[in-house]
Amino acid sequence: MRFDRNKAFPYPVLRPYSDDYKEVEFQATVEFEVGKEKIGVKVGFAVSSDEIAEEIKKGNAEYMAAISCRDTYFQFVLASDSRKMEAEFDVGELRGEVRVNPYVVVKKDISKFASSDINSEFGAGPFSFVVGDILAQDETQVFYIDRDLFRPVTSVFELVKKEGQTEGFWSVSFEEDHVQIEVSPKLKESIDNARNDKSKRVVLVNSIYFAAVMQAIQKLKDEESRGTYEEKKWAQIIIAQAHNKGCDLNAHDAYLIAERLMQQPIKLLETYVLKGGE
Amino acid sequence: MKANFMKTGKVQELLTNIAANLDSYRNSNFDFIVADPSYFFETNLEIDENLLSKIECDKNNLNEVQNCINMYGAINGLSHYLARDQRLWVYLTHTVLLKYTRERWSIPQDNEKAIKHIKTHFFCVGARGIERDNAASRLWWLASLCSRTKGIDFSEALTCFLYQSDVRANIVERPTTSQNIHVFSAILKKLNDSYKSNKELFEREKFRPFMKELNLAGGIKLLAALPESSITLILDQCIAKALQK
């Protein structure tokens, strides 16, 4: 059951954008961690309705999070009377969009539920609930899981040599699945040689790659060019990585998003070049 | 044998060159792919070549159930993550499963129609291309879905699931019915019962109202929170209402 802010239940449900309850809230936090073999998820719940919390305590209801992945037909239901729960899945179970729907669900029939926070439109109560009814629901949280998403964003950028490229200039092409950073054959050779040295690699990341990532983000910020490129692999990776890191392509500046996606590359510059450390 | 994956760039190249390769799709082969390692890379995934070679059909017998079983058995170590990788399936439809793909999805005479048809069944195009359209991957995904069912034999589950494409699409396209194992199993059992009797539930005018009733029930009650016995009870009520209409 997906979250729909316009939906009306035949019984009061504590949820965002709804006035079924007054003054009280139900919220969930979800965190994914992707490892080499396993994907971990941690879900935390907070409910400020004393009456709902009491039903959980009495064993009549429980916190629940339904974790679903459309691409792999995976669904896992986490349920507990504890406000914190976690689970682990094989890394092969999830791919693409993963949705987490948090609820408080009735697990034993409740015959006399009353709360002064319930909107008077529902009448004086008390209310009855049966197994499977929902006492509280939070908004669906969406995550993108792909091994490529947990690689550095620069993995979708490719340095290629371009015959005839003027020395001292480089260009970026967005037409392929990987962004192509086009440099002269001579510069390509210099860069390839520099890759063996950590501090030189850090300079590359902070110069040519940072600018290219920023420009790619700008292409996705611009509505017109976004339509042209959003099916490309590089665009999908940037869009999904930005989403997972809480960046808004429409609202945040390109350089700030680039900093987040590249995990503050200036820190590496400071450590390996400016301070000369290892 | 180890599974080979086509390189991404080569998938793109083949997709671009469908028109130029029409004769190979219709009458010849893509042996140059197997012969040229720049087209693919080997993975650690094991494939049972013997089972794969048993995937076959003809005009009179599509052999869908057995082909699904053979495909799933041939690549049973495949994770769902990798099963969504088009590079595996495009390699198979252009090599060991070329003949099967050509016979299962007969290529139209008209060149324009043929290009569209090849894109659909030899490649994995669009949101549902992998589980619905690609000749090889659809067999694996159908089998994978049915392998999760509880309380119903794998082969029987496949038989009733594959019986009617409209019914199948209705189940697969609804996350509520395809993702939750209890709900999916309970529906398949109902379909299996119907398949063995009068097949009434497979009729469009019966199955669609049944799904509609189930949607309504799932709108106010969290089906994922219920045990299979309670789900079966809800399904019985939905079927009774649908059959009354």
Side-chain angles (χ1 to χ4, degrees):
Chain A
M1 182 193 299
R2 65 193 172 102
F3 180 84
D4 178 356
R5 66 167 77 182
N6 297 316
K7 183 171 170 173
F9 283 84
Y11 50 80
V13 179
L14 173 58
R15 60 204 160 117
Y17 315 109
S18 155
D19 60 1
D20 286 8
Y21 280 77
K22 291 174 177 170
E23 314 292 336
V24 287
E25 286 183 2
F26 171 62
Q27 284 178 359
T29 54
V30 182
E31 268 179 79
F32 276 96
E33 201 175 292
V34 179
K36 272 191 175 173
E37 305 287 331
K38 299 280 178 190
I39 296 175
V41 63
K42 288 180 183 166
V43 188
F45 297 91
V47 62
S48 58
S49 160
D50 292 340
E51 293 80 11
I52 292 177
E54 186 59 24
E55 293 300 336
I56 296 168
K57 203 174 160 188
K58 286 195 284 190
N60 295 332
E62 62 188 344
Y63 298 107
M64 187 172 276
I67 299 158
S68 317
C69 178
R70 176 66 185 83
D71 277 357
T72 58
Y73 293 95
F74 175 88
Q75 189 176 71
F76 187 85
V77 178
L78 264 170
S80 169
D81 59 0
S82 163
R83 289 197 295 117
K84 286 183 180 173
M85 45 181 130
E86 51 186 272
E88 217 174 44
F89 318 112
D90 283 342
V91 79
E93 293 291 354
L94 301 173
R95 182 171 188 151
E97 188 180 282
V98 176
R99 292 174 163 258
V100 181
N101 283 295
Y103 312 93
V104 173
V105 185
V106 174
K107 68 173 189 179
K108 283 183 200 160
D109 292 356
I110 298 171
S111 56
K112 287 178 184 167
F113 182 84
S115 167
S116 57
D117 294 312
I118 293 176
N119 193 318
S120 55
E121 283 177 4
F122 282 97
F127 301 91
S128 295
F129 295 95
V130 295
V131 176
D133 281 353
I134 292 167
L135 293 184
Q137 182 180 21
D138 195 11
E139 282 185 275
T140 306
Q141 298 191 34
V142 180
F143 299 84
Y144 294 92
I145 309 274
D146 195 301
R147 284 165 202 174
D148 288 342
L149 289 182
F150 296 91
R151 291 193 187 128
V153 70
T154 47
S155 65
V156 283
F157 287 70
E158 211 170 21
L159 196 76
V160 296
K161 75 182 161 190
K162 186 181 177 188
E163 299 296 337
Q165 178 75 288
T166 314
E167 290 303 333
F169 285 90
W170 54 278
S171 48
V172 193
S173 165
F174 299 96
E175 306 308 316
E176 305 295 329
D177 267 334
H178 284 64
V179 173
Q180 313 265 303
I181 302 172
E182 302 161 337
V183 296
S184 70
K186 198 174 145 197
L187 184 56
K188 171 84 165 56
E189 197 184 335
S190 304
I191 292 175
D192 286 345
N193 290 336
R195 284 184 200 279
N196 299 324
D197 183 303
K198 174 86 183 175
S199 61
K200 286 177 183 167
R201 249 187 354 251
V202 168
V203 171
L204 282 173
V205 166
N206 275 278
S207 55
I208 197 164
Y209 279 98
F210 189 84
V213 170
M214 222 176 98
Q215 186 59 21
I217 291 165
Q218 194 56 51
K219 290 280 183 204
L220 298 176
K221 284 173 68 63
D222 178 51
E223 213 170 291
E224 207 173 303
S225 53
R226 182 175 174 140
T228 310
Y229 298 119
E230 66 189 350
E231 292 300 315
K232 305 280 180 202
K233 181 167 184 178
W234 65 261
Q236 289 171 353
I237 296 287
I238 289 178
I239 290 168
Q241 279 200 1
H243 173 94
N244 285 354
K245 286 181 187 287
C247 299
D248 183 342
L249 284 170
N250 297 319
H252 297 138
D253 287 332
Y255 77 94
L256 288 173
I257 299 172
E259 278 185 3
R260 293 290 302 278
L261 298 192
M262 296 176 76
Q263 298 174 36
Q264 294 96 35
I266 196 83
K267 279 193 202 162
L268 294 173
L269 192 70
E270 190 187 14
T271 306
Y272 290 100
V273 180
L274 304 179
K275 286 183 181 169
E278 257 310 305
Chain B
M1 88 179 182
K2 301 279 187 195
N4 291 331
F5 278 44
M6 186 94 75
K7 288 184 179 169
T8 306
K10 296 297 182 185
V11 172
Q12 201 54 44
E13 193 180 298
L14 283 170
L15 202 50
T16 312
N17 293 332
I18 294 174
N21 289 329
L22 266 182
D23 190 50
S24 299
Y25 283 107
R26 284 190 172 120
N27 311 307
S28 182
N29 59 54
F30 291 86
D31 284 354
F32 61 88
I33 292 176
V34 183
D36 180 357
S38 75
Y39 269 86
F40 64 89
F41 60 94
E42 193 183 89
T43 66
N44 287 325
L45 181 68
E46 283 292 341
I47 287 194
D48 184 331
E49 209 173 355
N50 182 40
L51 276 180
L52 213 55
S53 68
K54 288 182 181 166
I55 295 173
E56 55 190 6
C57 69
D58 58 49
K59 278 177 193 165
N60 302 320
N61 180 13
L62 294 178
N63 206 20
E64 291 272 84
V65 171
Q66 195 52 48
N67 284 339
C68 283
I69 293 170
N70 287 339
M71 175 61 89
Y72 198 60
I75 329 182
N76 66 7
L78 184 63
S79 69
H80 290 96
Y81 182 96
L82 276 184
R84 292 212 70 89
D85 195 321
Q86 62 163 340
R87 296 173 300 175
L88 167 65
W89 306 116
V90 174
Y91 183 86
L92 290 177
T93 53
H94 285 78
T95 56
V96 278
L97 293 177
L98 175 65
K99 185 170 172 279
Y100 165 73
T101 305
R102 202 153 44 198
E103 278 167 11
R104 175 62 181 83
W105 305 97
S106 184
I107 299 171
Q109 288 299 312
D110 178 79
N111 283 357
E112 260 185 48
K113 283 182 187 161
I115 291 169
K116 202 176 160 206
H117 179 91
I118 290 164
K119 243 184 212 173
T120 306
H121 299 297
F122 286 75
F123 292 86
C124 304
V125 179
R128 304 271 76 89
I130 282 198
E131 70 247 33
R132 193 189 55 197
D133 299 328
N134 179 280
S137 58
R138 65 181 284 278
L139 296 175
W140 191 92
W141 276 100
L142 288 166
S144 167
L145 277 170
C146 289
S147 74
R148 305 180 315 164
T149 52
K150 290 181 174 25
I152 176 170
D153 174 74
F154 181 37
S155 168
E156 282 190 346
L158 273 166
T159 303
C160 64
F161 195 47
L162 287 162
Y163 181 62
Q164 265 276 354
S165 60
D166 184 47
V167 166
R168 188 167 66 243
N170 259 289
I171 297 171
V172 169
E173 280 158 21
R174 284 183 168 85
T176 320
T177 52
S178 58
Q179 288 173 2
N180 186 277
I181 294 172
H182 294 321
V183 178
F184 184 71
S185 301
I187 292 176
L188 241 57
K189 278 186 211 160
K190 294 290 166 201
L191 285 173
N192 194 36
D193 292 345
S194 181
Y195 182 83
K196 286 175 173 169
S197 58
N198 58 5
K199 299 187 172 66
E200 193 181 17
L201 202 52
F202 290 90
E203 291 166 23
R204 188 189 174 95
E205 61 276 18
K206 302 280 164 53
F207 191 73
R208 291 206 168 190
F210 163 46
M211 283 282 116
K212 210 170 158 186
E213 290 295 335
L214 186 59
N215 262 356
L216 290 173
I220 52 168
K221 203 179 276 289
L222 187 61
L223 299 180
L226 299 176
E228 200 182 327
S229 56
S230 306
I231 294 169
T232 304
L233 203 64
I234 291 171
L235 291 191
D236 285 337
Q237 290 161 356
C238 293
I239 291 170
K241 281 184 192 171
L243 296 185
Q244 274 172 10
K245 287 181 181 172

